[in-house]
Amino acid sequence: MSILSVKNLEKRFGDNVILKNVSADIEKGEVISIIGPSGTGKSTFLRAMNFLDPPTDGEVFFDGRLITKKNVDAVRRRMGMVFQNFGLFSHMNVMDNLSAGPVKLLGVSKSEAEEKSAELLRTVGLYERARFMPRQLSGGQKQRVAIARCLAMSPEVILFDEPTSALDPTMVSEVMAVMRNLAKSGMTMLVVTHEMDFARDVSSRVFYMDEGGIYEQGNPEIIFNNPQRQKTQAFIYNIRSYNYEVESRDFDYAEMLSGVENFCFRHAIGKRDANRLQLITEELIINIVTPQYGACSLAVHFSEKQETCNISVSYKGESGNALDGAADDLSVSMVKNSAKEIRHQYADGINTLTAVL
Amino acid sequence: MKRIIAVILLLLTTALPLTACGTNADSENESGAESYEDFIGKTIGVTLGTICDIVAEDDLQGIATHYSDTSAALEDVRKGRLDGFMTDLSVVKVLAAEPGNENFEYFPIPEDIFNGPMGAYSIDQDVIDRFNVFLAELDADGTLAKMQTRWLDDVPDLDSPMPDIPAAGENGTLTVATTGAALPFSFIGANNELKGYSIELAMRFAAHEGMHIEFAEMEFGAMIPYVAAGRADFGIANVSITEERKKSVIFSEPIYNDRLGIIALLPGASSAVQSMSFSEWISTGIDRNLIAEDRWKMILDGLGVTMLMSMLSQLLGTALGCFVCWMLMHRIRVIRTIGNAYCALIRGLPIVVILMITYYIIFGSSEFSGVLIAVAAFTMTTGATVAIILKGAIETVDPVEIEAARSIGFSAAKAFFTVTLPQAIRRALPGYTNGFVELVKATAIVGYIAIQDLTRAGDLIRSRTYDAFFPLILVAIIYLIVTTVCVLLFQFIIRKINGESR
């Protein structure tokens, strides 16, 4: 029997339908990553399951039992949740945060609860901070405490609602490490996440959510490398792209360049390639296209399989290769030397220059 | 340690201006007068709401300066800001005879200029009729004349005990409104005992009627409204019979006709009186205002009343505030609206107005004591303050923490008491402390409804000793100490609570 089973779930806020007719069965020990564009109801789905935002329609079963408003407090003791903003009780120290639930809800004695809390804090590497207040911890530490607090109730399922979205990039990995260990230990987990590495490497199943429901699901291999449906394909493609709209000659070039740099960092593009990528973008946009055409749009796409990187610049106007009309010869030769290949296309009044690296 | 030094410094800065008041005498305005006619065209202090300003300006062609407080007027005469102070002749006589006032003398204003009747009053014609009968009897057997001689004509011996007037009390109790601040008609003497011509008259009247007597003391201006509202059967002090007042109450036959008099400094007296050192000023101040007639007991009693009212109101107000806060945050709109309306109403009214409304209108015809009614009024104001502070504090608690508690399995109520409330209390405490200090200070207005709190005790002593500053400063210092101690206490509690969670 599935540990968690969702049947025809619907969630509306007023006239605004967020989720409709969603059904899913989650087995014990599964690690499910929920991905998708923002605003498609990923968090709402999670919050509907433990009735923080009770479903407008449909049913949720936990361990075969229908969850109702009456029994939900009891169910939640067996189904933890980790929030984006931690939600640590700010007036209690770390130890009390962990023991509050077991002592007040499960009737565990204080000493017993603290013993277990100490053990859990050791597994998340924070026993040293047991007597610290939440405000004295970093974001990553707070989230690890939050996870330990969930575990203190010995739950059978844990729901993670974007657990690393509020963290500095440098702190993401410490939380991810804890979650990986948890997955390895056989915990049933549902994780709404933007960390594609985690979704791909750790989860047993991936839900891609769009159009008010689970648009496509499958094992990570299929979802990431061979998605079947169009929106999934576009999403997977997009998470490997960087797009920037240049609106006039006086655009914020620094913002664009730092975006490109960030993109290179995220996809672990080698230093040499990253430098070339940045050089081409800079020359192409700043010295070649915008002086002639003004507004244009940039799309950088990285393909892991072929290990290639495409830089596309689109601009409106009559058919014409911007490289030919450029006043700055030095820039043109720099771009030509750095790129493996440069293509020009014209369709529907839009020119597209594509440089392949 | 630092804190103690700070408190001492504060006290010193309050006391410093006092050294100045003892020494900055200038002797320009010595009257050197021989009769009231020497005050024609001069600057004369008068009591607010009396006939004196008309006499000073029309009959004496002078300038009238208004005072509500005899001791303040006397102080200005002493400093030379006024040429003289005009009031009832019987009062002026007592003033000039007070110890410490040896440098003053008084000048009667002739009967043909003013000779005003004073009366007792009530809203019950029957009471007045009976009083008039009693007054006529008293006049007939000569007792009234003897009383007038004893209290009013000669300079009275204020320390002599009241004659023993036995009251059987078989016909119930007569409640009498009076001011304890009008020598020699109605004043507070040794052992906090009411004395004076009017007081004796009232006691004799009660005995005559076979009734017990119960006095309520209040500000002069509050006496007539008090009787008009039916809170006392009868009022008596030194109230002149005027057409205005007759519209609110029924007056008796005159209990006394009083002339007016002017009190002024003897020639060359101003510098002699003023050259008192600070330490002398302190020691005579303590002697006159605290030790004489055991007046410190009045201060102590007043302080007790102030603290009782403040603490009781704060306690009940906190309970009420929690309830109002619950209303303010309720799911149902109507309940929220009621809560908001309550807070808006209380917040929009001066506390003194709320107090008067509670006293004269809401509890107008009830038997509750003044202190209880004051506590009710202050509970209402504290309730609104606490509700607003608490709501603000609850709203600062991060909703994610409450969600986190719910997601672990805490019920809404358990989450509130485990997560929201402890944090809200911590955040509310500084504002709450402040509210309490404000409340202690706000209770200083209860003199309006005949309660003898700390401020009123100071006023009564002032009205008795005509020392303008000492009782005031003393009361100020006591308030300062009380509020400082309270703040320190609250801060200690706050530190204790915060310390536990460290």
Side-chain angles (χ1 to χ4, degrees), chain A residues 8-41:
Chain A
N8 303 325
L9 184 138
E10 182 177 296
K11 181 68 194 175
R12 280 190 309 259
F13 289 105
D15 288 338
N16 195 3
V17 180
I18 309 289
L19 298 170
K20 51 174 189 278
N21 215 11
V22 182
S23 297
D25 288 313
I26 291 121
E27 305 303 324
K28 233 178 160 80
E30 273 198 294
V31 175
I32 292 176
S33 291
I34 302 170
I35 61 170
S38 45
T40 50

Side-chain angles (χ1 to χ4, degrees), chain A residues 228-295:
Chain A
Q228 302 299 303
R229 299 186 63 186
Q230 188 222 335
K231 284 201 171 176
T232 322
Q233 287 165 352
F235 179 78
I236 297 297
Y237 176 84
N238 260 322
I239 58 174
R240 301 175 187 291
S241 316
Y242 172 70
N243 295 292
Y244 192 86
E245 290 296 321
V246 176
E247 271 155 19
S248 74
R249 284 189 178 84
D250 301 317
F251 74 107
D252 185 351
Y253 67 91
E255 184 186 52
M256 181 191 75
L257 291 178
S258 78
V260 172
E261 199 181 331
N262 229 329
F263 174 79
C264 294
F265 175 76
R266 259 197 300 141
H267 294 279
I269 296 171
K271 195 156 189 204
R272 227 174 76 101
D273 286 341
N275 282 342
R276 275 159 60 197
L277 179 64
Q278 283 168 52
L279 179 81
I280 293 172
T281 316
E282 195 174 342
E283 297 301 334
L284 211 52
I285 300 275
I286 299 171
N287 292 329
I288 298 172
V289 177
T290 40
Q292 298 175 64
Y293 295 91

Side-chain angles (χ1 to χ4, degrees), chain B residues 141-327:
Chain B
D141 70 9
T143 317
L144 194 63
K146 274 186 209 156
M147 277 173 64
Q148 288 177 356
T149 310
R150 188 151 40 83
W151 287 112
L152 306 171
D153 294 344
D154 301 332
V155 172
D157 177 8
L158 298 179
D159 295 331
S160 67
M162 289 285 285
D164 191 27
I165 303 160
E170 69 272 13
N171 294 332
T173 303
L174 183 75
T175 51
V176 178
T178 190
T179 169
L183 273 170
F185 295 93
S186 166
F187 64 94
I188 297 190
N191 300 323
N192 215 348
E193 185 192 12
L194 266 171
K195 287 184 178 183
Y197 174 73
S198 302
I199 300 297
E200 187 179 332
L201 211 51
M203 286 168 79
R204 284 184 187 278
F205 174 51
H208 181 264
E209 298 295 312
M211 293 170 96
H212 276 305
I213 193 158
E214 213 173 86
F215 286 103
E217 300 149 41
M218 65 205 74
E219 301 279 334
F220 185 88
M223 285 191 295
I224 289 183
Y226 194 87
V227 172
R231 299 203 63 92
D233 302 324
F234 184 69
I236 193 165
N238 56 336
V239 178
S240 297
I241 302 170
T242 65
E243 288 306 315
E244 274 293 280
R245 289 172 180 160
K246 276 186 191 168
K247 286 175 191 162
S248 316
V249 290
I250 309 163
F251 275 98
S252 67
E253 293 296 316
I255 56 171
Y256 186 63
N257 283 315
D258 205 359
R259 290 155 65 193
L260 297 176
I262 297 175
I263 185 163
L265 276 184
L266 288 167
S270 62
S271 51
V273 174
Q274 302 306 322
S275 58
M276 199 191 269
S277 77
F278 182 61
S279 59
E280 269 176 328
W281 181 79
I282 292 274
S283 66
T284 49
I286 289 175
D287 269 348
R288 281 175 63 197
N289 297 294
L290 285 178
I291 298 185
E293 296 184 1
D294 282 347
R295 291 194 180 114
W296 57 271
K297 278 187 186 159
M298 282 173 70
I299 293 280
L300 214 59
D301 288 350
L303 177 62
V305 170
T306 293
M307 289 319 291
L308 177 77
M309 282 191 304
S310 306
M311 294 201 298
L312 216 56
S313 306
Q314 186 76 3
L315 221 65
L316 297 173
T318 305
L320 177 67
C322 291
F323 177 71
V324 174
C325 180
W326 171 83
M327 288 176 87

Side-chain angles (χ1 to χ4, degrees), chain A residues 245-348:
Chain A
E245 290 296 321
V246 176
E247 271 155 19
S248 74
R249 284 189 178 84
D250 301 317
F251 74 107
D252 185 351
Y253 67 91
E255 184 186 52
M256 181 191 75
L257 291 178
S258 78
V260 172
E261 199 181 331
N262 229 329
F263 174 79
C264 294
F265 175 76
R266 259 197 300 141
H267 294 279
I269 296 171
K271 195 156 189 204
R272 227 174 76 101
D273 286 341
N275 282 342
R276 275 159 60 197
L277 179 64
Q278 283 168 52
L279 179 81
I280 293 172
T281 316
E282 195 174 342
E283 297 301 334
L284 211 52
I285 300 275
I286 299 171
N287 292 329
I288 298 172
V289 177
T290 40
Q292 298 175 64
Y293 295 91
C296 62
S297 60
L298 165 76
V300 182
H301 179 70
F302 176 66
S303 162
E304 206 169 354
K305 261 193 186 159
Q306 291 139 24
E307 295 203 339
T308 58
C309 202
N310 293 344
I311 302 150
S312 305
V313 184
S314 316
Y315 48 94
K316 280 183 187 161
E318 286 179 22
S319 174
N321 189 332
L323 288 172
D324 298 338
D328 192 336
D329 288 341
L330 182 64
S331 297
V332 173
S333 63
M334 270 161 75
V335 170
K336 281 184 172 162
N337 287 338
S338 305
K340 202 190 274 174
E341 185 193 342
I342 297 176
R343 290 193 297 262
H344 174 252
Q345 284 174 327
Y346 183 74
D348 301 332

Side-chain angles (χ1 to χ4, degrees), chain B residues 403-449:
Chain B
E403 269 191 350
R406 298 301 311 274
S407 80
I408 290 175
F410 282 91
S411 65
K414 264 189 177 163
F416 178 79
F417 286 110
T418 314
V419 178
T420 312
L421 198 61
Q423 294 191 48
I425 287 175
R426 248 158 259 228
R427 279 165 219 185
L429 266 176
Y432 186 80
T433 310
N434 207 32
F436 181 66
V437 170
E438 289 298 325
L439 175 64
V440 172
K441 294 189 288 178
T443 58
I445 58 170
V446 295
Y448 277 99
I449 60 164

Side-chain angles (χ1 to χ4, degrees), chain B residues 378-398:
Chain B
F378 291 123
T379 298
M380 290 201 294
T381 61
T382 308
T385 321
V386 168
I388 291 164
I389 292 174
L390 198 59
K391 176 171 178 259
I394 287 175
E395 279 170 350
T396 63
V397 177
D398 190 349

